[in-house]
Structures are given as C-alpha cells and as structure tokens.
C-alpha cells in the first residue's frame, strides 16, 4: 500500500454536493428498478457512461456498474457532465414510485390493498433479463409495465429460468443450432424475497413422487413487483434443480412440474409474502393449477365445501387464452396429473375422476387428456381471447364446453393485445411527438385524441425522422451480419460485402417472428423468379430483413430458416436479403423502429393477435398483413396494406397458393408504387399520409395502456367485487 492510501481521505464532494459514493448508489438504485428500461433519459445515461461496454454487456446496467468504482464513476460523470442527469433521474424514480395520483387510483380503487395477482410463464421486459422466449413473454412484460404506469395495483408471478431461452446461431448451411448460457444472477436486478423475520421465502409442493421446493426472487418493474420461482435450491434432487433452468425445454413431465411450481407454488409464495390478491389473472393455461391451491386455502381457512370454494374462487379469477393452434394447449396424461396433483386432490377431498374431469370437456370421457385450457376455463368466471377474430375462433373451439349455448352466448370475450409505447417508441420519434403532442401526452398514451396531433406534424419532418431510424437499422444489420460472417470464418470478401449490405434508399421490408410453419416465412419465396424481379426492379427495388428462432424441436421450422438464410448465396438476391441471428427484444426493437413495411402473412386464423406490427406503427412503419389477429380489426384501407380478403380455404395448399398470389399482387400493385411515388420535393406524400393515419388511429388502440385499462374495467374490478363492466 502506498502511504496515501493508508490515510482515509475525506469523502470527495462534487459540485452539487453529492459524494462519489452517493452518486454511485444512485446509479445502482436506478439499475435495480427496471423502470430504467423504458425511460430513455435513464437508459441513455447508462449508455453514455461507456457506450462500447454498454453494447457488449447486452445493455445490462448492473453488469456495467460493476466495472466502475465510485471514484471512476465520479471521474466519468465529471468528464461527461452527468451529475445533474443522474440526480434528476434518481429524483424522477423517487417521484414515480411515490406518486399517488394515477389512473388506477381513480379506476381501480376497489382493489385497494388487494392487488391483482398476474401469473405468466414468461416475462419479456428487457434483453438483459432473459426469462422470455417470444410473444407471450413480451406481452406479459408490456402488461406489467402498463400496470405500473397506470398505477393499477398488481403483483406478477413467474419462473426464474437460469438459462432462459436459447441463443441462436446458424451454420454455413443455414441450419439453426441452440446454445444455452447460464445467466449470472448477480448481474440481474433480483433479490431473494424474505418473510417478516427476514428469512428467504421457500415454497414446497408435494407430489406422489416426493417434494419439490422453490425459492422466491423479487424484482422491481416500476411500481409493480415481480416474483420469480426458482427450483435450483438445496433440497431438490439434482434433476429437479434443473427444472426451471430452461423455457419450454424438456418433456411433458418437465412441463407439468414447471406448471405445478408456477401455479401452486406461486399462490403459496403470495401467501408466504402476506399478499392477499383481490383477483387472479392467469395469462395462458400454464398457471391454471393455481386456483386449485386458492380453493384449498378457502376450504381450510373458511371451512367451505369444495363446490362453494370453487364458485367463489372462479368469481375472482380471470383467464386469458392465447392460441387457436391445437398444439399450443398443454395436455397431460392421467398418470402425470395424479402424480403431481394427487396430494392437493386429497386435501381438496375430490376424487381422481373429479379432478380429471376439471381438465376435460366431457368429464367422464376417459379418452380425453387433461387440458390446461379447459381447466383454466372451468376455474374462471371471466375468460378472454386476445383479438376480436380470435374471440370468434375461441368460442367456436370451446363451444362443446357449453353445449346448450349458441356461439354468441359462450362466455369468452376478447381484449385485443397491445404494446407498451415507451418501450418500443424510438427516441427520435418521441422527440418529434414531444413537440407536437400535448405536454402530458406521456401519461395519456392510451387516449385517442392525443394521437390525432400527428396530423399537425410537417410531412417532411416525419419522413426525415423515419429515414434517420431506417439508416440506424441498416447500420445495425451490417454490424450484425458482418459479425455473423466473421464468426463462421467466412472470407474477408464476404465480411466486406456484409459491411455494405442493403441500401438506405430502397423500400425495406422487415419480417421478424418465431419460425412456426403457420407463420409462413417462405410465402414471399413461393416463386423465386418473381421475387427476384420484385427485389431487383431497376427503379423500384425492394430489400427484406428476416429474423426469428424456431423451437429446438420444430424441424420444419428450422428447415424454413435454412432455406431463407441460404438465399444469400443466390446471386439473384445478393445484397437484397439479410437474416439476423438470435431474434430477441433488442433485435426486434431495431427492426420495428427502422423498417418501411412490416410483413405478416400467417395462415388465417391461426395468429391469435400478434403484437410486433403494433410496435411498428409507433415509429411510422406500415403494416402489410394477412387480415388475421389484431390486423383484421385494425385495417381500414387507409392505414396500411391488407394481403387478400380475410378468407381461407379448407385446404392449406390452396390457401397458401392463393395467399402467395395475393402477397405478390399487394407488393407489386400497392406497396411498391405508393412508396416510390414522389412529389417535386422528393416526398412520398400519399405514403406519409398513410403513416399518419396509422399512427393517429392505431397507436392508442393497440397500446398496452388501453389493454390494461380494458382488463381493469371489464375483468379486474368486477372479479375483485366491484361494479361490473361488460367485455366486448
Ligand atoms: C413483440 C415480440 C414478439 C411478438 O411478436 P409477434 O407479432 O407475435 O410475432 C416476439 N418476440 C419478440 C422478441 C418481440 O419483441
């Protein structure tokens, strides 16, 4: 030690009176509430501390802060004049957490100290928190962010996956390989949840084959607390310690055990935490065992019979179903159900047949496997699908549960999904809105009138802003593709080619989503010659950016990726196609902020809602989509493009062939001409008008603020015992 270090120096105090340690602690406090992730002033603060490391560390502020000591932070803050920004951000966080005047305080008052308990198997909040795989998770993340912003009392329950979902890489032949990486827990904004004595909370689930235990983590997402159950603890067998390590990994036994932990374990965790929910929201069937545990509690505490308790608990329960694809509904064999629910069934005092009957459309039908969606529908008084069209499909799909009712009377409504505006809106676009929208617009993003102000924006300015974002997207694509080439050991020439891929002046189409076959990523390649012509038109060229993962066991999906990724070797498509590996929230954000057109061509009516196209709207991109999911109720002829007329043939082959034709016709006759039709100033006036119509009419309708307000009014408040409001 040098002598100077042995003498404690007085704490350094900077210009505005904060010590280096205080400054550091403020940054840590900001990093420990995921509020930072949708608050651009705060995320840009972390970025500015060290832009290179910020990117390398997957935009993880806790990992970033570990690379600083208080003194180094102080030095950097001085260099960058960050003091006032840090202090301001910290003050804003405190104000946000402390504010009492919210939409929820007026509209969800009945909930009071009894929050909604929102259960979901995945939460997509930010790329640095890898506990999501795709749409369902991102929806849950957006749901709780909006609940936070609106001040709706809500706690969320999920699972902690220590390896998350896989990282995708493509080999030379375009084949997907999957890599699972251990997440460093100390880099995540999580703490063990503790009871009143400060002891870590553990929950235990009995099964016929032994006990399962889980610890409970807590995480702050703005004003919402998210609890995550984790089986990697002492007391579990080595195999069970891996139970919650991966999303949607393993076999059906893994799946039912994960769902036991999520549903039953989640309800037990809430009890251990001293939280009494006003109502339960099961986001998808994965958590549908939960209400059985709530019923057990009511029987035990209040001496109710099973039937009475079921009626009351169902009254408190809201169930959302998300898929019209049959394989999307979890089904379990009798033996697995008895192994895992047997001990709980004993306590409920119901028979083997009675329990199985709760998961069957026809309770006595031994041929029927136990279905979590059926269980969810039977244990909830309010159920909903996630778009208007999906509502029809779902009512028809489950009509036999209510054989005496006509379709319109099937008690399943719909609340169309939406996206969290602050999370998906580009900074440049927000600055534009800030100048033309009312000053409090950020607090009223779910209100229609706010967005009408887009018509006041100068068309040239909107176009310029959009083009700046498109340029950013293209440099992102070039960076990622050249990195991919380098990793595969490709020639210097190939890497160089990747560095110049795509052209900012060209109409740019984006396609990013899971590679499930019904989403038909290959539809654009039904006729390769026609596609080549479209892409290489001498005056009106087109370029396309793809991204997406296939489920590890979905070989046909992987084959689709291989086909599309390999087209880059076809000289007809050189420079006009890009496939970005490892689709995640970060890749999605870049894509939806920079594309001209977002392409969505699923086989109708299999896309329950879809949300990625809603993110595009906010940033001025246009949707070009089959009339399925949310787009079937959004498209009005002036706010984007419809592929086909919203019909499907019973034969998939015929449907695909027709839709392929429609896709080419829509692109060739509508999208491309409109994009390249310029006025004397070089502006595509009609295109810009369409962008404005899309923003004005759709941004608020398909925001998660509107969605959470709908859930609150039509489901949460009545389920918690307040006055009822009808769902559409
Ligand atoms: C928004 C989002 C999705 C959902 O989009 P879809 O339209 O349902 O495909 C999936 N994955 C990620 C990473 C997203 O951000």
């Amino acid at each position: 030690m040098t002598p100077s270090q042995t003498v404690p120096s007085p704490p350094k105090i900077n210009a505005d009176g904060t010590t280096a340690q205080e400054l550091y602690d403020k940054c840590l406090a900001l990093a420990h509430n995921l509020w930072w992730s949708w608050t651009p002033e705060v995320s840009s603060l972390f970025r500015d501390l060290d832009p290179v490391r910020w990117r390398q560390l997957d935009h993880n502020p806790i990992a970033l802060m570990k690379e600083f000591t208080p003194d180094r932070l102080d030095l950097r803050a001085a260099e960058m004049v960050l003091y006032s920004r840090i202090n301001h951000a910290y003050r804003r966080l405190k104000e946000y957490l402390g504010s009492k005047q919210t939409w929820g305080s007026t509209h969800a008052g009945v909930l009071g100290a009894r929050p909604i308990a929102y259960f979901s198997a995945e939460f997509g909040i930010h790329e640095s928190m890898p506990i999501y795989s795709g749409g369902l998770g991102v929806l849950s993340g957006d749901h709780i962010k909006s609940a936070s912003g609106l001040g709706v009392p809500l706690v969320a329950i999920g699972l902690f996956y220590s390896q998350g979902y896989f990282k995708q890489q493509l080999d030379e032949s375009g084949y997907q390989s999957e890599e699972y990486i251990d997440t460093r827990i100390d880099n995540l904004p999580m703490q063990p949840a503790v009871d009143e004595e400060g002891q870590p909370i553990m929950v235990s689930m009995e099964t016929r084959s032994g006990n399962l235990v889980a610890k409970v983590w807590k995480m702050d997402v703005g004003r919402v607390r998210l609890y995550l159950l984790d089986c990697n603890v002492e007391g579990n067998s080595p195999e069970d310690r891996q139970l919650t390590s991966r999303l949607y990994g393993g076999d059906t036994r893994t799946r039912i055990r994960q769902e036991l932990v999520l549903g039953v374990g989640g309800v037990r965790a809430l009890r251990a935490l001293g939280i009494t929910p006003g109502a339960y929201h099961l986001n998808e069937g994965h958590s549908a065992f939960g209400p059985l545990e709530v019923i057990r509690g009511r029987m035990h505490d209040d001496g109710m019979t099973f039937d009475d308790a079921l009626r009351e608990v169902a009254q408190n329960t809201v169930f959302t179903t998300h898929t019209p694809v049959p394989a999307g509904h979890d089904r379990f064999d009798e033996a697995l159900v008895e192994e895992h629910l047997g001990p709980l069934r004993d306590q409920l005092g119901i028979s083997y047949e009675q329990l199985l009957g709760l998961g069957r459309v026809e309770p006595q039908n031994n041929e029927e496997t136990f279905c979590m969606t059926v269980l969810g529908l039977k244990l909830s008084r309010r159920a909903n699908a996630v778009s208007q069209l999906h509502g029809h499909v779902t009512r028809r799909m489950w009509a036999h549960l209510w054989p005496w009712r006509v379709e319109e009377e099937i008690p399943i409504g719909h609340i169309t999904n939406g996206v969290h505006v602050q999370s998906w809106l580009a900074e440049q676009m927000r600055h534009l809105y800030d100048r033309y929208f009312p000053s409090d617009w950020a607090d009223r993003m779910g209100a229609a009138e706010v967005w009408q102000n887009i018509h006041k924006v100068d068309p040239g300015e909107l176009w310029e802003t959009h083009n700046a974002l498109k340029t950013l997207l293209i440099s992102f694509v070039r960076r990622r593709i050249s990195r991919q080439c380098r990793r595969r050991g490709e020639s210097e020439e190939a890497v160089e080619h990747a560095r110049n891929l795509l052209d900012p002046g060209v109409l740019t189409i984006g396609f990013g989503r899971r590679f499930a076959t019904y989403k038909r990523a290959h539809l654009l390649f039904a006729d390769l010659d026609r596609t080549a012509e479209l892409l290489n038109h001498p005056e009106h060229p087109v370029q396309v950016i793809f991204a997406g993962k296939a489920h590890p066991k979905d070989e046909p999906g992987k084959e689709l990726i291989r086909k599309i990724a390999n087209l880059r070797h076809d000289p007809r498509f050189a420079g006009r196609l890009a496939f970005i590996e490892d689709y995640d929230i970060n890749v999605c954000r870049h894509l939806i902020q920079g594309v001209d057109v977002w392409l969505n061509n699923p086989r109708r009516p299999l896309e329950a809602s879809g949300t990625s196209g809603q993110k595009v709207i906010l940033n001025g991109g246009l949707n070009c989509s089959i009339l399925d999911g949310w787009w079937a109720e959004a498209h009005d002829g002036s706010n984007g493009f419809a592929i086909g007329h919203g019909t499907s043939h019973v034969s998939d082959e015929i449907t695909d062939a027709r839709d392929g034709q429609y896709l080419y016709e829509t692109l060739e006759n509508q999208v491309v001409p409109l994009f390249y039709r310029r006025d004397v100033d070089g502006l595509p006036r009609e295109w810009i008008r369409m962008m404005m119509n899309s923003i004005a009419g759709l941004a608020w309708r398909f925001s998660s603020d509107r969605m959470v307000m709908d859930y609150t009014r039509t489901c949460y408040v009545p389920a918690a015992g307040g006055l009822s409001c009808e769902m559409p």
Side-chain angles (χ1 to χ4, degrees):
M1 254 185 201
T2 57
S4 68
Q5 281 175 309
T6 60
V7 185
S9 53
K12 270 216 296 281
I13 297 182
N14 51 45
D16 61 359
T18 8
T19 66
Q21 186 65 46
E22 280 165 356
L23 198 69
Y24 189 85
D25 290 344
K26 283 181 179 174
C27 285
L28 265 189
L30 289 166
H32 276 274
N33 189 319
L34 281 153
W35 173 78
W36 73 261
S37 69
W38 69 89
T39 312
E41 297 92 289
V42 192
S43 49
S44 63
L45 190 63
F46 289 124
R47 181 195 60 209
D48 292 346
L49 283 173
D50 191 337
V52 175
R53 290 300 288 152
W54 178 241
R55 185 179 291 164
Q56 288 168 346
L57 293 167
D58 236 354
H59 310 145
N60 182 330
I62 296 180
L64 184 77
M65 289 311 293
K66 283 198 182 143
E67 305 200 342
F68 283 90
T69 59
D71 284 340
R72 234 199 98 215
L73 177 76
D74 195 46
L75 214 62
R76 183 71 184 152
E79 265 169 39
M80 298 289 298
V81 210
L82 295 177
Y83 296 112
S84 62
R85 281 171 67 193
I86 295 173
N87 284 320
H88 179 70
Y90 182 76
R91 229 177 9 253
R92 274 200 57 202
L93 173 62
K94 292 283 136 189
E95 277 166 18
Y96 180 78
L97 296 178
S99 62
K100 298 275 181 287
Q101 289 304 314
T102 60
W103 182 89
S105 63
T106 330
H107 295 87
V110 58
L111 297 172
R114 294 158 57 99
I116 300 303
Y118 179 85
F119 286 73
S120 185
E122 41 172 316
F123 286 91
I125 300 162
H126 184 258
E127 57 266 25
S128 63
M129 188 68 217
I131 53 167
Y132 67 94
S133 82
L136 183 74
V138 174
L139 179 80
S140 308
D142 282 1
H143 191 109
I144 65 175
K145 288 172 186 175
S146 276
S148 167
L150 292 166
V152 174
L154 182 143
V155 294
I157 297 98
L159 296 177
F160 176 64
Y161 305 97
S162 58
Q163 297 187 327
Y165 202 50
F166 67 90
K167 293 255 167 222
Q168 177 196 51
Q169 291 193 344
L170 305 187
D171 66 16
E172 271 93 305
S173 76
Y175 193 74
Q176 167 181 298
S177 67
E178 298 102 25
E179 191 186 3
Y180 290 89
I181 299 170
D182 278 311
T183 309
R184 285 192 50 180
I185 291 186
D186 59 345
N187 280 346
L188 300 180
M190 305 196 305
Q191 306 290 327
V194 294
D195 61 19
E196 280 159 12
E197 274 94 59
Q199 293 302 308
I201 290 177
M202 300 286 287
V203 291
S204 162
M205 282 69 56
E206 317 74 62
T207 75
R208 295 278 191 237
S209 53
N211 268 10
L212 259 175
V213 286
K215 81 178 272 188
V216 185
W217 297 95
K218 64 173 184 189
M219 193 158 83
D220 289 320
V221 184
R223 294 189 267 238
V224 167
R225 176 135 307 159
L226 168 58
Y227 294 101
L228 298 171
L229 283 78
D230 177 3
C231 286
N232 187 13
V233 288
E234 264 178 55
N236 278 334
S237 68
E239 199 191 343
D240 285 336
R241 291 188 71 145
Q242 303 294 317
L243 182 62
T244 51
S245 63
R246 294 179 181 183
L247 265 142
Y248 309 131
D251 52 12
T252 50
R253 187 158 185 278
T254 308
R255 184 61 86 92
I256 197 171
R257 290 167 84 75
Q258 286 188 342
E259 295 185 358
L260 178 73
V261 175
L262 176 64
V264 176
V267 171
R268 291 191 180 161
L270 290 172
R271 178 180 280 242
L273 287 158
I275 296 170
T276 312
Y280 297 83
H281 184 177
L282 314 176
N283 188 43
E284 193 43 289
H286 308 118
S287 52
F289 292 135
L292 293 175
E293 169 63 10
V294 185
I295 293 171
R296 190 196 62 78
R298 295 301 301 270
M299 292 170 69
H300 178 270
D301 297 346
D302 305 333
M304 297 173 96
T305 64
F306 175 79
D307 289 337
D308 287 346
L310 188 151
R311 207 169 304 117
E312 291 219 354
V313 169
Q315 169 60 32
N316 282 151
T317 305
V318 179
F319 173 59
T320 304
T321 177
H322 287 267
T323 177
V325 182
H329 300 265
D330 278 324
R331 291 182 175 275
F332 299 116
D333 291 341
E334 287 184 24
L336 278 179
V337 176
E338 176 59 16
E339 179 189 350
H340 294 97
L341 274 298
L344 181 58
R345 172 173 80 69
D346 293 342
Q347 289 180 289
L348 294 171
I350 58 174
S351 68
Y352 182 75
E353 287 73 25
Q354 229 178 326
L355 174 64
L356 287 176
L358 289 170
R360 288 180 180 151
V361 174
E362 296 171 60
Q364 321 295 340
N365 182 355
N366 291 331
E367 304 291 299
E368 242 187 279
T369 47
F370 187 94
C371 175
M372 295 300 277
T373 305
V374 176
L375 182 68
L377 289 170
K378 290 193 178 185
L379 295 181
S380 61
R381 258 274 283 120
R382 284 174 188 77
N384 69 286
V386 292
S387 71
Q388 193 173 27
L389 177 61
H390 181 228
H392 289 296
V393 174
T394 306
R395 283 189 288 279
R396 218 170 309 140
M397 190 167 176
W398 300 109
H400 36 309
L401 267 171
W402 295 271
W404 59 93
R405 293 191 182 192
V406 295
E407 193 203 306
E408 296 72 49
E409 289 174 358
I410 301 291
I412 302 175
H414 79 272
I415 292 178
T416 305
N417 287 342
V419 297
H420 188 243
V421 175
Q422 293 95 317
S423 296
W424 299 105
L425 179 61
E427 210 176 333
Q428 293 84 336
M429 210 52 129
R430 190 175 52 101
H431 289 317
L432 185 70
Y433 295 164
D434 279 343
R435 281 191 288 117
Y436 290 93
F437 288 14
S439 57
D440 65 342
W441 80 277
D443 299 322
R444 300 195 287 134
M445 289 175 173
E449 66 276 12
V450 166
W451 296 88
Q452 289 308 316
N453 293 289
I454 190 68
H455 291 297
K456 291 196 226 145
V457 175
D458 171 58
E461 199 180 355
L462 180 60
W463 187 241
E464 249 175 54
T465 310
H466 166 69
N467 280 311
L469 288 167
K470 183 168 162 185
T471 305
L472 285 177
L473 166 62
I474 289 176
S475 40
F476 173 76
V477 173
R478 290 173 175 172
R479 206 160 59 230
R480 292 289 286 250
I481 304 274
S482 54
R483 197 173 85 194
Q484 288 168 204
C485 290
R486 241 178 286 123
R487 193 204 66 235
R488 291 190 206 113
E490 292 180 10
S491 66
E492 209 30 61
E493 199 191 333
V495 177
E496 193 50 37
H497 177 258
R499 272 200 209 103
N500 295 295
L501 205 64
L502 307 184
D503 177 344
V506 170
L507 169 61
T508 303
I509 297 178
F511 184 103
R513 52 181 50 81
R514 188 159 55 89
F515 270 64
T517 44
Y518 79 85
K519 298 191 187 230
R520 302 188 298 187
H522 55 302
L523 202 65
L524 184 56
F525 301 103
D527 177 347
L528 286 183
D529 289 329
R530 192 165 175 184
T531 307
E533 236 171 81
L534 179 77
L535 268 53
N536 295 308
H537 188 283
E539 286 105 49
H540 301 159
V542 176
Q543 56 195 8
V544 195
I545 309 169
F546 283 90
K549 296 174 176 178
H551 187 277
K553 287 183 186 154
D554 179 9
E555 286 302 331
K558 289 181 172 185
E559 185 52 27
L560 277 186
I561 292 179
R562 202 187 56 74
K563 274 202 183 122
I564 291 171
N566 260 342
L567 287 173
R568 72 192 178 106
H569 299 304
D570 185 329
R572 288 178 296 176
F573 301 109
R576 291 273 185 259
L577 281 186
F579 191 104
I580 306 177
E581 294 175 354
D582 206 34
Y583 187 53
D584 68 351
I585 287 178
N586 182 39
V587 174
C588 182
R589 196 190 300 114
H590 280 92
L591 283 175
I592 57 97
Q593 291 182 351
V595 293
D596 297 309
V597 172
W598 190 246
L599 179 63
N600 178 43
N601 45 233
R603 199 176 286 139
R604 182 184 150 115
L606 297 184
E607 193 65 84
S609 168
T611 53
S612 51
Q614 303 171 342
K615 303 167 189 167
V616 171
I617 293 170
L618 307 168
N619 298 293
L622 293 179
N623 281 273
C624 176
S625 171
I626 293 276
L627 290 166
D628 195 11
W630 74 281
W631 191 239
E633 68 198 78
H635 176 70
D636 70 358
S638 77
N639 56 11
F641 306 96
I643 304 168
H645 313 286
T647 52
S648 314
H649 195 271
V650 284
S651 147
D652 285 351
E653 285 74 39
I654 294 177
T655 303
D656 291 0
R658 276 186 192 165
D659 288 350
Q661 284 297 323
Y662 287 138
L663 172 58
Y664 283 117
E665 286 165 15
T666 310
L667 293 175
E668 292 165 352
N669 305 336
Q670 297 181 44
V671 181
V672 174
L674 198 69
F675 181 83
Y676 284 106
R677 195 174 303 149
R678 305 296 166 105
D679 69 0
V680 286
D681 303 322
L683 290 180
R685 292 274 170 184
E686 293 159 75
W687 185 278
I688 298 171
R689 188 162 333 118
M690 201 178 251
M691 287 165 69
M692 289 182 170
N693 291 341
S694 159
I695 294 168
L698 304 177
W700 69 273
R701 266 176 75 197
F702 299 98
S703 70
S704 54
D705 278 11
R706 188 275 309 152
M707 172 181 76
V708 170
M709 293 192 283
D710 281 353
Y711 274 106
T712 303
R713 283 190 287 239
T714 63
C715 298
Y716 295 166
V717 167
L723 278 180
S724 178
C725 213
E726 281 307 308
M727 208 189 302

